[in-house]
Each structure stands twice: as C-alpha cells, then as structure tokens.
Amino acid sequence: MQYSAIRKMAQMSSQAGIISFSAGAPSVETFPAEEILGVTSKVLAGESQCALQYGATLGHSGLIDAVMELCAERGLPGVRREEVAITGGSQQALDLLGRILVDPGDTVFFELPSYIGAISVFRNLQARMVGVRQADDGIEIEDLVARIRQIRGEGGRAKVIYLIPNFQNPSGVTLSPAKRRKLLEVADEYDLLLVEDDPYGEVYFDSSQPADLVPVKSFDLGGRVIYISTFSKILAPGLRTGWVVAAAPIIEKLDLAKQACDLCGSMLDQRIVAECWKQGIIQKHLPGIRVFYQAKCRAMLNALVDHMPAGIQWTRPAGGLFLWLSLPRHLDSGELLLECLESERVSYVIGQPFHVNGEGSHTMRLAFSRENEDNIALGVQRLARVFKSHPG
Amino acid sequence: MQYSAIRKMAQMSSQAGIISFSAGAPSVETFPAEEILGVTSKVLAGESQCALQYGATLGHSGLIDAVMELCAERGLPGVRREEVAITGGSQQALDLLGRILVDPGDTVFFELPSYIGAISVFRNLQARMVGVRQADDGIEIEDLVARIRQIRGEGGRAKVIYLIPNFQNPSGVTLSPAKRRKLLEVADEYDLLLVEDDPYGEVYFDSSQPADLVPVKSFDLGGRVIYISTFSKILAPGLRTGWVVAAAPIIEKLDLAKQACDLCGSMLDQRIVAECWKQGIIQKHLPGIRVFYQAKCRAMLNALVDHMPAGIQWTRPAGGLFLWLSLPRHLDSGELLLECLESERVSYVIGQPFHVNGEGSHTMRLAFSRENEDNIALGVQRLARVFKSHPG
C-alpha cells in the first residue's frame, strides 16, 4: 500500500535536524495541556464509574450535546441527537462510512488531489476511484458532471462524492460558496451521496471568513450529505475523537457497524472532550490556534515568493495546515525528495499518492504546522536550492 | 443483525429494579479509579505532548513493553516487539484480524456457543461460519476434525478456528490442557489459523489454576496461533485497550489495516494503562478481582443448586464472569425472557444468537458480574419460579 510508504517516508523525515514540511499533525504547542489536565482530574474524580466502563457505541451523550452545539455555531443548526455518531477520530468515521455505503465496484469521486486516509479506506473496499480536477475555488463542477455521466454511461454505479471543502488536506484549497450549492444540486440530480469531511474549517485565518465556510450539509434537505469532523485540530488528536452528522438511518447502520468494530470508543477521551467544550476551553482556545497557523502560513508564503524559481506554483491557503506546490511537469517530486533529505535536510510529502488517477508526480504537500517561522523560511530556501539545480 | 437485538434487549434489561444477569461488563467496583486518577495526572503532567498527539498505529512503545512482560507472566515468554499490536479493546483486534485473514466464503470454526462480537465480525465479512460442539473441557476435537474434513471435502476453504480457551464468554467453560495441545496439532495438520481470544484468563478462582491456563500460543512453533487479550477485565474497559500477539508478518498487515481504520488509538488511554502496569497497579489489583468474582459465582451456583427444578443444567465456571444454563429442550429462552422481565424483574441473555448454527433456543447466559450476592440469590429464585411454571 502506498499509504504505508508515505507514512514510512514521514518517519524517515522526522529525524533530528531535518526541517519537516512532511509532518501533517497539528502542533503540540496548540494543545491546551494544562486545561486538559484539570478537566481530566474532574472527570476521573466525578464520573470515574462511567469514564472507565463500556459506554454507548454511538458515543457519550454529553459529547453528542457538545457536537450539536458546535454544529450550530458552524452554520449547521437543528441537528438532532439521532443524527450524530462519535467516532475514533474522523478516520474511523471514514472507515465505518465506507463499509456501510460502498460495495466493491461502486464509484467514489475524489478531488485531485485528495486525502490519502480516505483514498486508502475506499481502495481497501475495492471501490472504483475516479479523480475530478480542482481549481483555486475547489472541485471543478463541469469535470465532476462529465465523470459521473461517463461512469453511468458505462453502466457503473456512481455512489459517493468525497470532498474536503475547507483548507483541504493536501492542497489547502477552499470550495467557494457558489460551488457548495452547485455541488449539492449535482448530487441531487445524479442521486449521489456526498461525504463532506471538515477537519480544518475552524482553522481559518481571516475572521470575516466563516460565512463562506458554511457546510454543504446546511443546504441539504434530502439527507444525502454526510458531514464528518473532528476535535483533533481544535483540541488534541491523541484523544481520538471525531464525529459524523448524517440522516438517522445512516447513523443506525453506522451504529451496527461500529458495534462489531470496537463496541465503543474511549469513554475517558469522550468525557474529557465533552467537559472541555462545556467549560469553554475549546472555544476560548480557537482564536489562538488560528493566529498560530496563520503566522506560519504567511512565513511559508513569503519565503516561497522570495526564493522559488520561475515555473513553480503553489496554493495560497486561507486556513488549515498545508499548501500545495507544483514543480514543472518534467520534474519528479519523488526523485527530488532523497536529494532534499540528504543534501538539504528538508522534507515534504510527494504528491502522487494523493491522486487517485496516478497523476501528480511533479507535485508535493508542504505542511507549515510543525516548524517555527525561522525554520520555515530556511526550509523553503533549501527546497528552492534543490529545485534551482534541476532547471527545465 | 441479531447482535443488535441482543444489545437492545440488554438495554431494556438494565431498567431500574431489574436484577440483571444480562449485563456482561465487568463490575465498576473492580476499577482502581483512585490509582488511575493518580496515574493520569502523572501522564498528563509529564508526557502531555505525546499523550495528546497522534502516535504509532501499532501502539505506544511503553505499552508494548508492558504487554511483553504480561505475556511472559501468562506463560508466553519471548514475545518480540514486532509481534505485538495494541488495539481499541479486543473487539477492534477481532475486526482487524477478520479483515486481513478472511475472504468472503472462507470457513471459520466456532465453539457452540461462542462470543457474539466475534460472530458478528465474521458474519459481516461474509465468512462461512461452522459450529463445533463444546464439552465441559472445551471444544470437541473429534467434531472439529469431522467438520474440517467435511468443508474440505466440499471444496471449501477451512481457514480459521476462533476460540476462547479460558472461562469462555458465554459458557464459562475452560479448555483442558490436553485439548490445548491437541487443538494445535489439528490446526497444524489441516493448516488452519487459530485465533485464541483470552479476555478472562487472569480472572481465575483457584490460585493453583494458572498452569492449566497456559496459552495455546505458547506451544505454537509455526506462527499459526494469534493471541488476543485486553485490559478491559483487569483494569477498565472504558480505556479501550486490547492487544494482539502474532507472527510479525500478520502484525505488519494489521498495521496497514489499522492505519486506514483509525490512524492510531487513544494515546492518553495507552499511556495510562502502560503506567498502571509500570507502577504495579494492575498486578496488585488482580487478586482482589479474582476473589470478587469468585464470591459472586459461588453465590449463583449455590442458588442454582438450591432452587432450580430438575431437568435444568448449568456449567460450573472456574473463573470469568458468566455461566451457561440449559432448559429442557422444548422450552424457548426467548419466549420466557419477557415473562422473566415483566413478572419477575430478572434478566438474562438468550442463548441462540451465540450459536452460529441457529441452535440453542433452550439456553441462556447468566452473568454474575453485576449484582451483589443477595441479588444473585434472589434473581436465581425468581428465574426458578418462572422455569417451574413451565414444566415439561
């Protein structure tokens, strides 16, 4: 599996002394460790019997309350209790949804590029995976429609569109408001499910932006959008807590699948996260996270402008942890990575595995989440040195 | 799914005022809540950056160390690091193993009765499920061999034997030492994998017993036994921490499957459990757990002898949380359950869903884990009243 090769390369890249643009995890500096310690002590002192026992497969009810409130704040009001499932991070949500929604041979549409963890889930399920071009304002609707028609014309089952609308992993691209509505119309017209994966939506850099980030799910009257999110980027990923909002019959199926998968998630984690929300720790903490990543992103963008040779392009994210860089098409980011690691001690993730159609060998993901601003500038200079030494 | 029906019935049975022999969870009284609070504070004060961040898919290295030590104490010495995977409870171990070991149509052999959570995993994978008779000393080897030959004779793929050797859920039966060796010979002869699920092995009632409970895995030279266990019964299930010991190539496959499943488990849970082991909390706590369940089991066995009418049989567990009761064959435990709940306010779990061959409608599982000794005696009297009102 390519997914594993990526992870191994990421481990190699995390050696001491290497400036890492490959590490995709949120920065430990953003975790409110002290507040979590306080909350955890409270949970274990007051609710230890429940926190240490098996619990509901779909999650702790207090955390479901928190998710309903959080969704309302994101422009997704009126979510009902039976429309929510708590999962072991959003990765488990993807795995469970894949299992209940997709049969072998069903077609799933992905942005080019898309999230490796989702690609891996649907590949394991033997789905047919079809890539759709992405522009600066998100997935290209015409290309999507053309692909759907092609699959249907061939007698295939066009089943699911998987997409990350906000500050996408890996590209950093955000879907425009107009395209959000258009996308739902397409899903309606061709009777597709839409899996809307939103791990990064809260990590926006411009405070006027949230209105543009309203979930596609908020326009969904027919129950065809399945919204996924996580506390990994807004609290701490080690607590492994994500969630799904979907029509009640989908949540019922997910319940059955999850029972056989793990009986229930970590009750301690779920109660800690619920209490962090109840005490306002997450809410209070978010502005700081936004500023933290914004500064890093700006440092990377500035360094790219200052140092990159002509012929190299990159995205300009309005939030999140990543940006996407494209070399001239004749260059192979996989071949250059070894040189970057050995000569320049700087790492990135190669772009090809993010493409379900095998393209993207000249692309790469740069994460600005891990390094400080000085190292970001230094790392970009090093990358630029390697790229300049391979002219067109 | 029947599995879900069982769980719903279990919820119904947990109403206030009902004496519950259906609740299969360990008693909250056995959780060392105060010690866990202390350990958690230490972990979050000293290792918060790691405990709150993503971690290794196969688990925290300190917990892998603990599992290697624990296995050695159970008669499974020399386990190597690359032979261990930490999972989200043993249920996730079953789910992942099912996915990497079994293709649709492969045959999996189960004891009659067997654990519903395992049956559910293999049913979802569209395995062919074959039941094998169980005697007081465990699975009947002759019946197993006959079934394997039958499947092979039909051109089927006999792939996996799934079994719980110690104080089995649901029957309370323990596999004899002689049969442990014999079972491995059969697996060798017919080239089957053996999934040895051991959640209850530490919960023995007779301190001279451990020698008889040595894992089948300890005799395994060919790497065909996959050993599963969990901290759920010896620490706390809400911390969702189980493990697998298997040949390194199986663990490698499990790593890939788990990456797509959840990226990693709860790092906080894993570090808490590792620290509990390191501080000796689990070890110190085990004798008390054994005495705790032994007293409850004795209370139930005494009450059964005192009150049950002729024609009713039950197992006499030497450990664990459950015993198994068989009514005269013409009675249906499902039909009697409603009467038990409504008239006598006592619950159990019906036996049929534990049978992969559809038998067992006259059987039931009685858990002695939840109720105190007085309620156990009272509950058994109530059951006996119902059973007496339905003579042969």
Side-chain angles (χ1 to χ4, degrees), chain A residues 1 3-4 7 25-28 31 33 36-37 40-41 44-45 48-49 51-55 57 88 91-92 95 99 115 117 120-121 124 232-233 236-240 256-257 259-269 272, chain B residues 1 3-4 7 25-28 31 33 36-37 40-41 44-45 48-49 51-55 57 88 91-92 95 99 115 117 120-121 124 232-233 236-240 256-257 259-269 272:
Chain A
M1 294 194 203
Y3 184 41
S4 152
R7 284 177 61 102
S27 170
V28 293
F31 306 157
I36 291 174
L37 172 56
T40 305
S41 300
L44 279 175
S48 73
Q49 293 207 339
L52 298 175
Q53 182 59 288
Y54 291 111
T57 303
Q91 188 66 39
Q92 193 191 39
D95 180 55
R99 292 205 251 179
Y115 170 54
S120 182
V121 161
N124 290 351
S232 291
K233 279 73 189 178
L239 299 174
R240 305 310 299 123
L256 293 176
Q259 282 170 26
C261 186
D262 68 0
L263 298 179
C264 66
S266 166
M267 288 297 123
L268 180 58
D269 285 1
I272 292 170
Chain B
M1 293 195 203
Y3 183 42
S4 152
R7 285 177 62 103
S27 170
V28 294
F31 306 157
I36 291 174
L37 173 55
T40 306
S41 299
L44 278 175
S48 73
Q49 293 207 338
L52 298 175
Q53 182 60 289
Y54 291 110
T57 302
Q91 188 66 39
Q92 193 192 39
D95 180 55
R99 291 205 251 179
Y115 170 54
S120 184
V121 161
N124 290 352
S232 291
K233 278 73 189 177
L239 299 175
R240 305 309 299 124
L256 294 177
Q259 282 169 25
C261 186
D262 68 0
L263 298 179
C264 66
S266 166
M267 287 297 123
L268 179 58
D269 285 1
I272 292 170

Side-chain angles (χ1 to χ4, degrees), chain A residues 224-237:
Chain A
R224 67 174 66 256
V225 182
I226 296 150
Y227 180 83
I228 303 177
S229 192
T230 175
F231 289 94
S232 291
K233 279 73 189 178
I234 61 178
L235 186 61

Side-chain angles (χ1 to χ4, degrees), chain A residues 93-110:
Chain A
L94 287 170
D95 180 55
L96 293 170
L97 287 169
R99 292 205 251 179
I100 64 177
L101 300 178
V102 169
D103 294 316
D106 284 355
T107 299
V108 180
F109 300 90
F110 293 85

Side-chain angles (χ1 to χ4, degrees), chain B residues 108-348:
Chain B
V108 180
F109 299 90
F110 294 85
E111 295 152 310
L112 290 170
S114 185
Y115 170 54
I116 291 183
I119 293 173
S120 184
V121 161
F122 290 104
R123 179 182 291 131
N124 290 352
L125 291 166
Q126 298 169 46
R128 179 170 174 185
M129 302 195 289
V130 171
V132 181
R133 311 235 157 268
Q134 193 181 40
D136 286 346
D137 61 348
I139 194 166
E140 292 190 6
I141 303 290
E142 295 71 25
D143 193 38
L144 172 64
V145 170
R147 305 272 165 188
I148 295 170
R149 287 192 174 151
Q150 184 191 346
I151 295 298
R152 287 162 64 115
E154 293 167 5
R157 292 186 303 274
K159 193 74 151 284
V160 171
I161 304 166
Y162 170 77
L163 132 157
I164 304 175
N166 302 320
F167 327 125
Q168 193 222 32
N169 178 2
S171 70
V173 163
T174 296
L175 189 68
S176 69
K179 279 190 172 177
R180 289 177 195 236
R181 291 186 176 270
K182 187 70 194 158
L183 188 66
L184 187 58
E185 286 172 28
V186 171
D188 273 333
E189 182 174 352
Y190 294 98
D191 193 21
L192 270 73
L193 294 169
L194 180 63
V195 174
E196 179 180 25
D197 190 2
D198 185 22
Y200 309 103
E202 300 280 2
V203 189
Y204 51 79
F205 299 155
D206 175 350
S207 60
S208 71
Q209 199 175 31
D212 286 351
L213 304 178
V214 62
V216 182
K217 176 77 183 154
S218 67
F219 312 127
D220 173 34
L221 302 175
R224 67 173 66 255
V225 181
I226 297 150
Y227 180 82
I228 303 177
S229 192
T230 175
F231 289 94
S232 291
K233 278 73 189 177
I234 61 178
L235 186 62
L239 299 175
R240 305 309 299 124
T241 311
W243 73 88
V244 178
V245 176
I250 292 175
I251 297 297
E252 273 173 41
K253 278 189 197 170
L254 195 147
D255 186 13
L256 294 177
K258 194 169 188 301
Q259 282 169 25
C261 186
D262 68 0
L263 298 179
C264 66
S266 166
M267 287 297 123
L268 179 58
D269 285 1
Q270 292 188 15
R271 281 172 188 265
I272 292 170
V273 175
E275 185 65 25
C276 281
W277 177 261
K278 204 170 147 197
Q279 293 190 13
I281 291 168
I282 297 172
Q283 300 89 319
K284 210 169 53 193
H285 200 64
L286 274 171
I289 293 179
R290 291 169 191 140
V291 169
F292 178 86
Y293 288 116
Q294 181 180 29
K296 288 172 186 281
C297 183
R298 194 187 297 127
M300 185 170 273
L301 288 171
N302 288 343
L304 287 165
V305 169
D306 289 348
H307 301 290
M308 281 295 155
I312 291 179
Q313 297 180 308
W314 55 88
T315 58
R316 284 158 192 81
L321 281 58
F322 311 105
L323 64 77
W324 191 249
L325 186 142
S326 301
L327 300 169
R329 287 199 168 260
H330 67 280
L331 290 180
D332 185 307
S333 62
E335 286 172 16
L336 295 185
L337 180 56
L338 205 64
E339 193 177 333
C340 288
L341 282 169
E342 289 182 349
S343 314
E344 295 287 355
R345 313 287 289 161
V346 58
S347 72
Y348 52 81

Side-chain angles (χ1 to χ4, degrees), chain A residues 37-333:
Chain A
L37 172 56
V39 159
T40 305
S41 300
K42 182 176 176 234
V43 165
L44 279 175
E47 316 166 36
S48 73
Q49 293 207 339
C50 294
L52 298 175
Q53 182 59 288
Y54 291 111
T57 303
L58 289 178
H60 166 48
S61 62
L63 185 55
I64 292 175
D65 290 337
V67 162
M68 289 158 66
E69 288 178 32
L70 205 161
C71 283
E73 296 193 4
R74 285 189 191 176
L76 196 55
V79 171
R80 287 173 298 136
R81 176 164 293 281
E82 61 269 28
E83 294 171 331
V84 180
I86 307 297
T87 56
S90 55
Q91 188 66 39
Q92 193 191 39
L94 287 170
D95 180 55
L96 293 170
L97 287 169
R99 292 205 251 179
I100 64 177
L101 300 178
V102 169
D103 294 316
D106 284 355
T107 299
V108 180
F109 300 90
F110 293 85
E111 295 152 310
L112 291 169
S114 185
Y115 170 54
I116 291 183
I119 293 172
S120 182
V121 161
F122 290 105
R123 179 181 292 131
N124 290 351
L125 290 166
Q126 298 169 45
R128 180 170 172 186
M129 301 195 289
V130 171
V132 181
R133 312 236 156 267
Q134 193 180 41
D136 286 346
D137 62 347
I139 194 167
E140 292 190 4
I141 302 288
E142 296 71 26
D143 193 39
L144 172 64
V145 170
R147 305 272 166 189
I148 295 170
R149 286 191 175 154
Q150 185 191 344
I151 295 298
R152 287 162 64 116
E154 294 167 4
R157 292 185 304 274
K159 192 75 150 285
V160 170
I161 304 166
Y162 170 78
L163 131 157
I164 303 175
N166 302 319
F167 326 125
Q168 193 222 31
N169 178 4
S171 71
V173 163
T174 296
L175 189 68
S176 69
K179 279 190 172 177
R180 289 177 195 236
R181 292 187 176 271
K182 188 69 195 158
L183 188 66
L184 187 58
E185 286 172 28
V186 171
D188 273 333
E189 183 175 349
Y190 294 97
D191 193 22
L192 270 74
L193 294 169
L194 180 63
V195 174
E196 179 181 24
D197 190 1
D198 185 22
Y200 309 103
E202 300 280 2
V203 189
Y204 51 80
F205 300 154
D206 174 352
S207 60
S208 72
Q209 199 175 34
D212 286 353
L213 305 178
V214 62
V216 182
K217 176 77 182 154
S218 67
F219 313 126
D220 173 34
L221 302 175
R224 67 174 66 256
V225 182
I226 296 150
Y227 180 83
I228 303 177
S229 192
T230 175
F231 289 94
S232 291
K233 279 73 189 178
I234 61 178
L235 186 61
L239 299 174
R240 305 310 299 123
T241 311
W243 74 88
V244 178
V245 176
I250 292 175
I251 298 296
E252 274 172 41
K253 278 189 197 170
L254 195 147
D255 186 14
L256 293 176
K258 194 169 187 301
Q259 282 170 26
C261 186
D262 68 0
L263 298 179
C264 66
S266 166
M267 288 297 123
L268 180 58
D269 285 1
Q270 293 189 14
R271 282 172 186 266
I272 292 170
V273 175
E275 185 65 24
C276 281
W277 178 261
K278 205 169 145 198
Q279 293 190 13
I281 292 169
I282 297 172
Q283 299 89 319
K284 210 169 52 193
H285 200 64
L286 274 170
I289 293 178
R290 291 170 190 139
V291 170
F292 178 86
Y293 289 117
Q294 181 181 30
K296 288 173 186 280
C297 182
R298 193 187 298 127
M300 185 171 273
L301 288 170
N302 287 343
L304 287 165
V305 169
D306 289 348
H307 301 290
M308 280 295 154
I312 291 179
Q313 297 181 306
W314 56 88
T315 57
R316 283 157 193 80
L321 282 58
F322 311 106
L323 64 76
W324 190 249
L325 187 141
S326 300
L327 300 169
R329 286 198 169 261
H330 67 280
L331 290 181
D332 185 308
S333 62

